[in-house]
């Protein structure tokens, strides 16, 4: 994962899209997307890349069994995520569209 930090913008976008497709979730009614993982390095790299794309996120929470969660909250931040990163996972993509309309 560290190599992605030296890659081009499209590779960084695809990396984030892939991890959010696999380990992300979209809240059904609130303006919230989360990314959850146990790997500290992956969490740190994800934070760096989100900042590079101008996507604001909340404080990383520690959950059960060593899982860490990056929350992205608020309609504008979700809209920025949709435009700059997006989902390829059809269910997550549809949920995000629904809460943003």
């Amino acid at each position: 994962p560290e190599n992605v930090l030296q890659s081009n913008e499209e590779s960084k976008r695809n990396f984030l899209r892939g991890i959010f497709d696999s380990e992300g979730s979209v809240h059904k009614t609130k303006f919230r997307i989360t990314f959850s993982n146990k790997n500290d390095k992956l969490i740190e790299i994800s934070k760096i890349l989100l900042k590079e794309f101008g996507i604001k996120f909340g404080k990383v929470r520690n959950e059960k069994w060593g899982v860490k969660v990056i929350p992205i909250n608020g309609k504008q931040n979700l809209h920025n995520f949709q435009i700059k990163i997006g989902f390829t996972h059809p269910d997550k993509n549809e949920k995000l569209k629904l809460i943003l309309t």
Side-chain angles (χ1 to χ4, degrees):
E2 298 88 9
N3 294 337
V4 76
L5 295 175
Q6 281 72 44
S7 63
N8 63 35
E9 185 175 298
E10 188 62 23
S11 294
K12 292 175 180 180
R13 178 179 291 109
N14 289 335
F15 179 83
L16 282 174
R17 188 177 294 138
I19 63 171
F20 274 87
D21 275 349
S22 62
E23 303 292 331
S25 64
V26 180
H27 195 280
K28 291 179 184 176
T29 58
K30 297 180 181 177
F31 295 114
R32 179 182 307 137
I33 297 172
T34 57
F35 167 65
S36 305
N37 203 280
K38 288 183 176 184
N39 186 315
D40 290 334
K41 181 82 82 182
L42 186 58
I43 293 290
E44 288 306 311
I45 290 168
S46 300
K47 288 170 43 181
I48 291 167
L49 295 177
L50 287 169
K51 286 179 186 177
E52 283 186 23
F53 282 99
I55 298 169
K56 296 179 183 177
F57 54 88
K59 182 180 176 187
V60 175
R61 297 186 323 259
N62 292 313
E63 298 289 331
K64 297 178 188 176
W65 304 291
V67 174
K68 293 179 178 49
V69 179
I70 299 175
I72 300 173
N73 298 303
K75 189 172 185 175
Q76 186 61 49
N77 289 327
L78 269 58
H79 181 70
N80 287 343
F81 180 89
Q82 183 183 40
I83 291 170
K84 296 176 182 179
I85 308 300
F87 288 105
T88 54
H89 190 286
D91 294 340
K92 292 175 185 180
N93 192 36
E94 190 59 33
K95 276 186 191 177
L96 183 56
K97 285 180 184 176
L98 284 172
I99 63 172
L100 289 176
T101 56

